[in-house]
Amino acid sequence: MSPSRTVLALALLSAAAAPAAAQGFGTSVAAGPSGVFVGEPAPQAAPGRVYQYTRGQNGRWTEAGRLRATDGAAGDRFGASLVAAGDRMLVGAPAADSGLGAVYVFERRGGAWAQAGRLQAPDRKKGDEFGAALVLAGDLALVGAPGQAEGAGAVHVFRRNAAGAWAAAGTIASGDSGTAQRFGSAMAHDGGTLLVGAPQQAAFTGAVYAFRLDPAGTAAPQGKLTSRLAVRGSGFGHAVALHGGTAMVGAPRSNTFVGVVGLFERDSASGEWRERGQLLPFDGGRGQFGAAIAFDSTGALVAAPTAFNQRGRIYAASRNPKDGEWTGVTKLGLEEPGRPGGIALLDGRAIVGRPGADYGLGAAVVLERDASGAWRQGGRMTGEDFAYEAMTGNERRCDSGKIGAFDCGRVDLVSFLPRQQLMGERGAELNDVWGWTDPRTGREIAIVGREDGTTFVDIGNPGRPVVLGNLPRTQGSPGSTWRDMKVYKDHVFIVADNAGEHGMQVFDLTRLRAVRGQPQVFTPDATYHRINSAHNIVINEESGYAYTVGTSGGGETCGGGLHMVDIREPKSPKFAGCFSDPQTGRASTGYSHDAQCVTYRGPDRDYQGREICIGANETAISVADVTDKANPKAISRATYPNVGYAHQGWFTEDQRYWLMDDELDELSGTLPGTRTLIWDLNDLDDPVLLKEWYGATRATDHNLYIKGTTMYNSNYVAGLRVVDISDIANPKEVGYFDTVPEGENEPGFGGSWSNYPFFKSGTLVVTSGREGVFFLRKHEAPLP
């Protein structure tokens, strides 16, 4: 296969909901005589870029350079698509110019690549996705814009003249009426034949259109590739590949997202395309097989981005040289998981992008085909893992509204450690946080959750935090965006969601006293296996009971409600019972996303001294009496206006009010700002929504905690917000520390996940996913 036919950029069709942001390294790939190219369209705090790699005499692939747009800007998605042919390359940037889109032409001169042109649609509009797919055919450049004309889509043709200048030479349309076809999502070209996919045509039935492309850029329609695969919902045409008279078309949504690839051959006499067979994943899981395809005369590679429990697979098929028939599909045992992206083939070598590898940083692998036709991994490439500089030593006051790269207001920075210094695997982001004060030494320890484990940081001197060690995730469990931990009797109890058979880890924190010198890697003292995965863990330190919530994946799931565990002997946890209120939760099982359980001393005399749990149950709050673990009882439930996702909450210290965040309400676009719901629980049998309070930004809120008359709310991209609630009906923001320097404080995910404000010293510990862990202190002086 020639370099002009090697690139396919994969757009994932579905993804598990997760706040983490990906850099996209490996979204697109290309290969040519001058090396291998890997696109990274979403690097942190920077414009997109393309990495070039060359193979040395020792057989290793090393970075040889980076290509950037001369007018690049953060968020432009430069590198979302690539195509290379000889000494020329096209790089798509579908979000350039504030979403209008552009394509950049690069040429190699004297061994170095340089920008030689910039293409844009004549009548471009935001949302056209100009540059989503590319073809380079001699002096012609074809650019897919599947979002154009309300999603009908189009392909723009550009021609290079003798002086080297590029000019628009027309557009290609499907010829069928209707919007939402997304014509131009995928393209393939060979020998004057052009195939264009329209995967959403007719309610995701999909279609592939054939054209005869002449050197002037005129495209003459040659009909459609028709198939029994093209049924409603199949997404036929999401990926197309072409080699000689053979075409492959992916329908990754077919058969309830199992996916299939159709095989077509062109009749040499009539020019018609006829379906010859199919490639199917032999294991039949919902992997979206066919989301990306590359093939040549001897073999094919097919991506299934959601196979293998959402971690992705690459499958290989071979072709019999005698009769041209395609034989068995097998999965490749690549060395690490990570959703596949672009695939390129060239001269017995394949480049496979894996933008899901390394927790979203991405990677690319080189596959070499041996004499028997089998594929072997021959190299691995990674991009830059951007890190903010650590800040330790002297405390930095927020006097000018900024500390380093971070905006602030009346909150000082004591110190900061980037996530790369917290013993995590490459790319592992941070999530939850809790704290422990050693009763013997008085040292304060931050317990920092990562996607791949837990880090212990000594902040006895908060200006010079010391990493003590790492407790990795349970062996055999995958990394997880969601990890949560709480402390009881000098032990930390840790759970993770969507993490296979992770269970609940138990770790004796007094072991940290023995750490001297280098940080240690620990093993848990016990692992409780009556649960597999759990979204959160709640502990009532007075009663000695833990409650895992959002439990799934096997074991005693309790409908996702309260899975009650007796932890009075911390290293020997015992199952104590279940509680759920099936009148709450999206699936009517009583699923609790998070909860707080207390020995009640609030104003409702009917329940004083009882053990009460308040659950944020997706659709409502749930109030329960769990004093008798064998017979827990629902007390009440309450909903509220504009429910998005009841997420998490915390009692005021008098246990009269319960303040709660809704994680998805800001995304609706109907709220004036970040919303905190204030519940009056004077009567536990009748919760009353006292107030909907709106913050200073529109950022999505996540975890909030209350100490005294102050609420500390982690509001994702707006960071930590400090709110005075001494007048509960009129809260007032009195400070903030924005943990995400780039972008606007708009609804969405990423940034500050959680905070821990309960240390006696007043040190606030705040985690921010891609950035790191912040140790802060709020101004105690009254506002002017």
Side-chain angles (χ1 to χ4, degrees), residues 620-631:
I621 67 167
S622 168
V623 184
D625 183 342
V626 297
T627 309
D628 182 356
K629 305 300 183 290
N631 188 31

Side-chain angles (χ1 to χ4, degrees), residues 226-528:
T226 57
S227 170
R228 56 194 175 96
L229 303 176
V231 297
R232 187 181 180 91
S234 67
F236 179 81
H238 177 83
V240 293
L242 181 62
H243 182 78
T246 301
M248 290 189 178
V249 179
R253 297 167 58 100
S254 177
N255 193 19
T256 320
F257 290 94
V258 171
V260 64
V261 171
L263 305 175
F264 297 82
E265 289 194 1
R266 186 177 55 219
D267 184 274
S268 57
S270 66
E272 294 182 358
W273 288 93
R274 297 175 181 174
E275 189 171 8
R276 288 287 306 273
Q278 301 175 358
L279 298 179
L280 293 162
F282 66 93
D283 43 5
R286 293 187 178 185
Q288 300 181 54
F289 179 86
I293 312 163
F295 76 102
D296 57 17
S297 59
T298 60
L301 295 176
V302 181
T306 59
F308 188 36
N309 192 28
Q310 300 288 322
R311 284 175 278 178
R313 288 281 197 198
I314 294 291
Y315 294 81
S318 57
R319 194 174 195 180
N320 189 318
K322 294 182 180 180
D323 58 15
E325 294 297 321
W326 292 88
T327 57
V329 175
T330 60
K331 61 186 178 185
L332 300 185
L334 299 183
E335 294 175 0
E336 84 288 319
R339 290 187 174 196
I343 308 174
L345 281 174
L346 180 68
D347 300 331
R349 180 179 297 141
I351 316 302
V352 179
R354 302 185 72 83
D358 296 350
Y359 299 94
L361 282 183
V365 295
V366 179
L367 305 178
E368 308 281 354
R369 191 158 48 194
D370 62 23
S372 69
W375 291 100
R376 300 285 183 266
Q377 187 164 328
R380 189 176 193 269
M381 307 159 190
T382 58
E384 178 184 356
D385 183 3
F386 175 83
Y388 289 99
E389 184 177 354
M391 289 184 278
T392 60
N394 296 325
E395 184 171 326
R396 295 159 173 83
R397 285 186 57 83
C398 179
D399 292 327
S400 64
K402 208 171 189 67
I403 298 175
F406 305 98
D407 292 336
C408 60
R410 302 189 61 78
V411 175
D412 301 329
L413 177 71
V414 182
S415 59
F416 163 70
L417 294 179
R419 59 174 170 79
Q420 290 86 345
Q421 295 186 14
L422 296 175
M423 301 184 71
E425 299 168 18
R426 182 177 184 272
E429 297 186 10
L430 307 188
N431 38 55
D432 223 321
V433 64
W434 206 246
W436 173 65
T437 301
D438 189 329
R440 179 192 297 178
T441 66
R443 289 191 304 168
E444 295 177 340
I445 306 295
I447 305 168
V448 180
R450 312 184 317 268
E451 291 184 278
D452 61 332
T454 306
T455 303
F456 306 102
V457 184
D458 183 344
I459 55 171
N461 178 355
R464 297 189 181 278
V466 177
V467 175
L468 299 177
N470 165 33
L471 179 63
R473 64 184 186 271
T474 300
Q475 187 173 3
S477 69
S480 172
T481 298
W482 304 273
R483 190 170 306 277
D484 193 54
M485 66 289 297
K486 297 294 186 300
V487 170
Y488 172 71
K489 277 189 178 179
D490 303 327
H491 291 71
V492 62
F493 299 79
I494 304 168
V495 298
D497 196 4
N498 196 27
E501 298 180 7
H502 184 279
M504 180 180 71
Q505 295 178 315
V506 183
F507 178 75
D508 186 343
L509 292 163
T510 64
R511 293 166 59 187
L512 300 175
R513 296 169 181 162
V515 176
R516 299 288 186 274
Q518 294 297 314
Q520 296 184 14
V521 177
F522 297 105
T523 57
D525 292 278
T527 303
Y528 175 76

Side-chain angles (χ1 to χ4, degrees), residues 665-667 669-676 693-701 715 745 747:
D665 53 358
E666 289 84 10
L667 290 167
T670 61
L671 303 180
T674 306
R675 180 173 63 160
T676 301
W693 178 74
Y694 295 99
T697 79
R698 297 181 61 249
T700 297
D701 45 355
N715 284 3
N745 291 331

Side-chain angles (χ1 to χ4, degrees), residues 467-767:
V467 175
L468 299 177
N470 165 33
L471 179 63
R473 64 184 186 271
T474 300
Q475 187 173 3
S477 69
S480 172
T481 298
W482 304 273
R483 190 170 306 277
D484 193 54
M485 66 289 297
K486 297 294 186 300
V487 170
Y488 172 71
K489 277 189 178 179
D490 303 327
H491 291 71
V492 62
F493 299 79
I494 304 168
V495 298
D497 196 4
N498 196 27
E501 298 180 7
H502 184 279
M504 180 180 71
Q505 295 178 315
V506 183
F507 178 75
D508 186 343
L509 292 163
T510 64
R511 293 166 59 187
L512 300 175
R513 296 169 181 162
V515 176
R516 299 288 186 274
Q518 294 297 314
Q520 296 184 14
V521 177
F522 297 105
T523 57
D525 292 278
T527 303
Y528 175 76
H529 284 298
R530 291 291 293 270
I531 64 168
N532 285 349
S533 296
H535 195 80
N536 276 290
I537 183 168
V538 180
I539 290 179
N540 180 2
E541 294 185 48
E542 290 191 64
S543 70
Y545 280 86
Y547 304 83
T548 66
V549 296
T551 305
S552 63
E556 299 282 354
T557 65
C558 299
L562 303 176
H563 175 112
M564 301 183 279
V565 188
D566 183 346
I567 58 170
R568 287 174 291 184
E569 295 180 16
K571 294 183 178 66
S572 300
K574 299 177 180 63
F575 176 66
C578 289
F579 170 78
S580 63
D581 183 348
Q583 296 186 57
T584 64
R586 288 180 167 177
S588 299
T589 64
Y591 179 100
S592 289
H593 184 85
D594 207 340
Q596 185 184 13
C597 298
V598 300
T599 300
Y600 185 69
R601 296 185 179 86
D604 190 336
R605 294 183 178 181
D606 293 341
Y607 296 98
Q608 286 182 354
R610 308 291 292 177
E611 190 165 9
I612 301 299
C613 291
I614 314 292
N617 287 20
E618 299 186 306
T619 59
I621 67 167
S622 168
V623 184
D625 183 342
V626 297
T627 309
D628 182 356
K629 305 300 183 290
N631 188 31
K633 297 179 180 179
I635 296 174
S636 61
R637 67 196 62 84
T639 188
Y640 54 94
N642 300 311
V643 172
Y645 194 91
H647 178 263
Q648 180 265 354
W650 206 254
F651 265 123
T652 54
E653 292 194 350
D654 62 2
Q655 295 184 353
R656 163 125 188 215
Y657 301 99
W658 201 68
L659 279 65
M660 188 193 84
D661 62 74
D662 180 311
E663 189 177 14
L664 301 183
D665 53 358
E666 289 84 10
L667 290 167
S668 70
T670 61
L671 303 180
T674 306
R675 180 173 63 160
T676 301
L677 299 132
I678 303 174
W679 293 95
D680 186 344
L681 298 185
N682 183 62
D683 181 356
L684 294 180
D685 294 291
D686 185 22
V688 174
L689 182 60
L690 174 70
K691 187 179 183 68
E692 299 174 78
W693 178 74
Y694 295 99
T697 79
R698 297 181 61 249
T700 297
D701 45 355
H702 200 233
N703 286 355
L704 68 85
Y705 297 98
I706 295 170
K707 182 181 180 182
T709 58
T710 304
M711 176 178 71
Y712 300 88
N713 199 336
S714 283
N715 284 3
Y716 277 139
V717 298
L720 177 72
R721 318 305 288 196
V722 182
V723 181
D724 181 355
I725 57 170
S726 55
D727 180 355
I728 196 66
N730 296 288
K732 185 176 183 180
E733 183 173 297
V734 295
Y736 67 91
F737 193 96
D738 192 338
T739 63
V740 181
E742 65 275 3
E744 300 296 327
N745 291 331
E746 294 294 316
F749 306 110
S752 182
W753 183 285
S754 196
N755 66 87
Y756 183 79
F758 301 115
F759 282 130
K760 186 177 181 180
S761 68
T763 300
L764 307 171
V765 187
V766 179
T767 53

Side-chain angles (χ1 to χ4, degrees), residues 7-160:
V7 176
L8 289 169
L10 168 63
L12 298 182
L13 297 182
S14 68
Q23 294 197 174
F25 182 94
T27 297
S28 60
V29 294
S34 64
V36 169
F37 302 90
V38 182
E40 185 182 53
Q44 187 172 356
R49 53 203 175 196
V50 174
Y51 292 76
Q52 179 189 7
Y53 297 88
T54 56
R55 191 177 189 183
Q57 293 182 349
N58 59 4
R60 295 181 179 178
W61 291 88
T62 58
E63 184 180 331
R66 299 182 189 181
L67 280 60
R68 298 179 175 87
T70 55
D71 59 351
D76 59 11
R77 295 199 59 79
F78 175 91
S81 55
L82 289 176
V83 63
D87 292 334
R88 192 171 295 156
M89 184 187 308
L90 300 179
V91 181
D97 297 344
S98 301
L100 295 174
V103 170
Y104 295 83
V105 182
F106 286 82
E107 294 182 357
R108 187 173 62 156
R109 299 165 184 166
W113 288 89
Q115 185 174 320
R118 187 180 191 273
L119 313 179
Q120 63 185 49
D123 298 316
R124 56 188 185 151
K125 295 180 181 178
K126 286 187 177 181
D128 285 353
E129 298 175 58
F130 179 87
L134 303 170
V135 160
L136 186 54
D139 287 329
L140 295 178
L142 280 70
V143 180
Q148 186 171 321
E150 299 182 7
V155 173
H156 294 263
V157 181
F158 297 84
R159 188 170 63 245
R160 183 177 183 270

